[in-house]
Short mmCIF file of all heavy atoms in Angstrom, two decimals:
data_model
loop_
_atom_site.label_atom_id
_atom_site.label_comp_id
_atom_site.label_asym_id
_atom_site.label_seq_id
_atom_site.Cartn_x
_atom_site.Cartn_y
_atom_site.Cartn_z
N PRO A 93 -5.48 -24.30 17.40
CA PRO A 93 -4.95 -24.92 16.19
C PRO A 93 -5.81 -24.61 14.96
O PRO A 93 -6.98 -24.25 15.14
CB PRO A 93 -4.99 -26.43 16.55
CG PRO A 93 -6.06 -26.57 17.57
CD PRO A 93 -6.34 -25.23 18.19
N ARG A 94 -5.28 -24.76 13.79
CA ARG A 94 -6.14 -24.57 12.61
C ARG A 94 -6.89 -25.82 12.24
O ARG A 94 -6.53 -26.92 12.68
CB ARG A 94 -5.31 -24.08 11.41
CG ARG A 94 -4.32 -25.11 10.91
CD ARG A 94 -3.56 -24.62 9.70
NE ARG A 94 -2.45 -25.46 9.39
CZ ARG A 94 -1.92 -25.63 8.18
NH1 ARG A 94 -2.45 -25.04 7.16
NH2 ARG A 94 -0.89 -26.43 8.00
N GLY A 95 -7.98 -25.66 11.50
CA GLY A 95 -8.71 -26.79 11.00
C GLY A 95 -8.45 -26.94 9.50
O GLY A 95 -7.69 -26.16 8.90
N MET A 98 -7.67 -24.16 6.44
CA MET A 98 -7.13 -22.89 6.96
C MET A 98 -5.63 -22.85 6.76
O MET A 98 -4.96 -23.91 6.78
CB MET A 98 -7.38 -22.80 8.47
CG MET A 98 -8.82 -22.57 8.86
SD MET A 98 -8.96 -22.74 10.68
CE MET A 98 -8.24 -21.18 11.24
N GLU A 99 -5.07 -21.63 6.64
CA GLU A 99 -3.63 -21.45 6.78
C GLU A 99 -3.35 -21.05 8.23
O GLU A 99 -4.21 -20.55 8.93
CB GLU A 99 -3.14 -20.40 5.84
CG GLU A 99 -3.07 -20.83 4.37
CD GLU A 99 -2.19 -22.05 4.09
OE1 GLU A 99 -1.23 -22.24 4.87
OE2 GLU A 99 -2.45 -22.74 3.14
N ARG A 100 -2.08 -21.28 8.66
CA ARG A 100 -1.74 -20.89 10.04
C ARG A 100 -1.95 -19.39 10.24
O ARG A 100 -2.33 -18.97 11.33
CB ARG A 100 -0.31 -21.30 10.37
CG ARG A 100 -0.08 -22.81 10.29
CD ARG A 100 1.33 -23.16 10.63
NE ARG A 100 1.66 -24.56 10.38
CZ ARG A 100 2.12 -25.03 9.24
NH1 ARG A 100 2.24 -24.22 8.19
NH2 ARG A 100 2.38 -26.32 9.12
N LEU A 103 -4.94 -17.77 11.83
CA LEU A 103 -5.12 -17.81 13.31
C LEU A 103 -4.61 -16.50 13.95
O LEU A 103 -4.75 -16.30 15.17
CB LEU A 103 -4.32 -18.95 13.91
CG LEU A 103 -4.74 -20.37 13.49
CD1 LEU A 103 -3.64 -21.37 13.89
CD2 LEU A 103 -6.03 -20.76 14.08
N VAL A 131 5.40 -22.25 20.29
CA VAL A 131 4.87 -23.33 19.39
C VAL A 131 3.52 -22.91 18.81
O VAL A 131 3.27 -23.20 17.64
CB VAL A 131 4.71 -24.66 20.19
CG1 VAL A 131 4.01 -25.70 19.34
CG2 VAL A 131 6.09 -25.14 20.63
N ASN A 133 0.60 -21.39 16.89
CA ASN A 133 0.65 -20.82 15.50
C ASN A 133 -0.09 -19.49 15.36
O ASN A 133 -1.05 -19.26 16.04
CB ASN A 133 0.09 -21.84 14.55
CG ASN A 133 1.14 -22.83 14.10
OD1 ASN A 133 2.31 -22.48 13.91
ND2 ASN A 133 0.72 -24.09 13.93
N LEU A 160 10.12 -29.06 13.97
CA LEU A 160 9.25 -30.11 13.39
C LEU A 160 9.55 -30.16 11.87
O LEU A 160 9.60 -31.24 11.28
CB LEU A 160 7.79 -29.77 13.68
CG LEU A 160 6.73 -30.72 13.17
CD1 LEU A 160 7.00 -32.21 13.55
CD2 LEU A 160 5.36 -30.32 13.67
N ASP A 161 9.71 -29.01 11.28
CA ASP A 161 9.99 -28.89 9.85
C ASP A 161 11.38 -29.51 9.52
O ASP A 161 11.55 -30.22 8.55
CB ASP A 161 9.95 -27.47 9.39
CG ASP A 161 8.68 -26.77 9.92
OD1 ASP A 161 7.61 -27.27 9.63
OD2 ASP A 161 8.80 -25.77 10.64
N ARG A 164 10.96 -33.23 9.75
CA ARG A 164 10.21 -33.69 8.58
C ARG A 164 11.15 -33.75 7.34
O ARG A 164 11.12 -34.71 6.58
CB ARG A 164 9.06 -32.77 8.28
CG ARG A 164 7.91 -32.92 9.27
CD ARG A 164 6.90 -31.77 9.14
NE ARG A 164 5.75 -32.02 9.98
CZ ARG A 164 4.81 -31.12 10.32
NH1 ARG A 164 4.91 -29.87 9.82
NH2 ARG A 164 3.76 -31.43 11.05
N HIS A 189 7.34 -20.80 9.64
CA HIS A 189 6.71 -22.11 9.82
C HIS A 189 5.38 -22.11 9.10
O HIS A 189 4.32 -21.86 9.67
CB HIS A 189 6.52 -22.43 11.33
CG HIS A 189 5.76 -23.69 11.59
ND1 HIS A 189 6.20 -24.95 11.14
CD2 HIS A 189 4.57 -23.95 12.17
CE1 HIS A 189 5.33 -25.84 11.50
NE2 HIS A 189 4.28 -25.27 12.09
N MET A 193 8.16 -21.99 3.98
CA MET A 193 9.45 -22.30 4.61
C MET A 193 10.40 -22.92 3.58
O MET A 193 9.96 -23.59 2.65
CB MET A 193 9.28 -23.27 5.77
CG MET A 193 9.06 -24.71 5.32
SD MET A 193 8.69 -25.84 6.70
CE MET A 193 7.05 -25.42 7.13
N GLY A 226 6.73 -28.39 3.44
CA GLY A 226 6.00 -27.18 3.76
C GLY A 226 4.52 -27.44 4.07
O GLY A 226 3.92 -26.72 4.84
N ARG A 228 3.23 -30.42 5.18
CA ARG A 228 3.04 -31.65 6.00
C ARG A 228 1.98 -31.42 7.08
O ARG A 228 1.22 -32.38 7.36
CB ARG A 228 4.40 -32.03 6.60
CG ARG A 228 4.40 -33.37 7.27
CD ARG A 228 4.21 -34.49 6.32
NE ARG A 228 4.68 -35.76 6.91
CZ ARG A 228 4.76 -36.90 6.26
NH1 ARG A 228 4.46 -36.94 4.98
NH2 ARG A 228 5.18 -37.96 6.85
N GLY A 229 1.99 -30.29 7.67
CA GLY A 229 1.01 -29.99 8.73
C GLY A 229 -0.41 -30.17 8.21
O GLY A 229 -1.28 -30.76 8.84
N ALA A 230 -0.67 -29.61 6.98
CA ALA A 230 -2.01 -29.69 6.40
C ALA A 230 -2.36 -31.15 6.04
O ALA A 230 -3.47 -31.59 6.20
CB ALA A 230 -2.06 -28.85 5.15
N ILE A 232 -1.37 -33.78 7.62
CA ILE A 232 -1.73 -34.47 8.85
C ILE A 232 -3.10 -34.11 9.33
O ILE A 232 -3.90 -34.98 9.73
CB ILE A 232 -0.62 -34.18 9.92
CG1 ILE A 232 0.64 -34.93 9.55
CG2 ILE A 232 -1.09 -34.62 11.33
CD1 ILE A 232 1.89 -34.45 10.27
N ILE A 233 -3.48 -32.81 9.15
CA ILE A 233 -4.82 -32.40 9.53
C ILE A 233 -5.85 -33.14 8.64
O ILE A 233 -6.83 -33.61 9.13
CB ILE A 233 -4.98 -30.88 9.39
CG1 ILE A 233 -4.13 -30.16 10.45
CG2 ILE A 233 -6.45 -30.44 9.53
CD1 ILE A 233 -3.98 -28.68 10.32
N SER A 239 -4.61 -31.36 14.23
CA SER A 239 -3.21 -31.06 13.83
C SER A 239 -2.26 -31.94 14.61
O SER A 239 -2.54 -32.50 15.64
CB SER A 239 -2.94 -29.55 13.96
OG SER A 239 -3.03 -29.16 15.26
N SER A 240 -1.08 -31.98 14.09
CA SER A 240 -0.01 -32.79 14.62
C SER A 240 0.16 -32.50 16.10
O SER A 240 0.11 -31.32 16.52
CB SER A 240 1.33 -32.50 13.87
OG SER A 240 1.72 -31.18 14.16
N ALA A 241 0.38 -33.49 16.90
CA ALA A 241 0.51 -33.27 18.31
C ALA A 241 1.72 -33.98 18.88
O ALA A 241 2.64 -33.35 19.44
CB ALA A 241 -0.76 -33.70 19.07
N SER A 243 4.20 -35.44 17.27
CA SER A 243 5.42 -35.01 16.58
C SER A 243 5.79 -33.58 16.89
O SER A 243 6.99 -33.22 16.94
CB SER A 243 5.26 -35.25 15.09
OG SER A 243 4.21 -34.49 14.55
N ALA A 244 4.77 -32.75 17.18
CA ALA A 244 5.09 -31.36 17.57
C ALA A 244 5.75 -31.36 18.98
O ALA A 244 6.67 -30.67 19.22
CB ALA A 244 3.77 -30.55 17.57
C1 LMR B 402 2.20 -28.51 11.90
O1 LMR B 402 3.08 -28.11 11.13
O2 LMR B 402 1.88 -29.70 11.96
C2 LMR B 402 1.52 -27.51 12.83
O3 LMR B 402 1.97 -26.22 12.58
C3 LMR B 402 0.04 -27.64 12.79
C4 LMR B 402 -0.53 -27.06 11.51
O4 LMR B 402 -1.46 -26.23 11.61
O5 LMR B 402 -0.08 -27.46 10.46
#
Side-chain angles (χ1 to χ4, degrees):
R94 63 177 168 153
M98 291 171 74
E99 284 302 333
R100 296 180 190 89
L103 299 166
V131 172
N133 275 322
L160 181 52
D161 313 303
R164 287 169 172 166
H189 174 62
M193 77 185 74
R228 188 67 161 188
I232 289 165
I233 292 170
S239 64
S240 66
S243 57

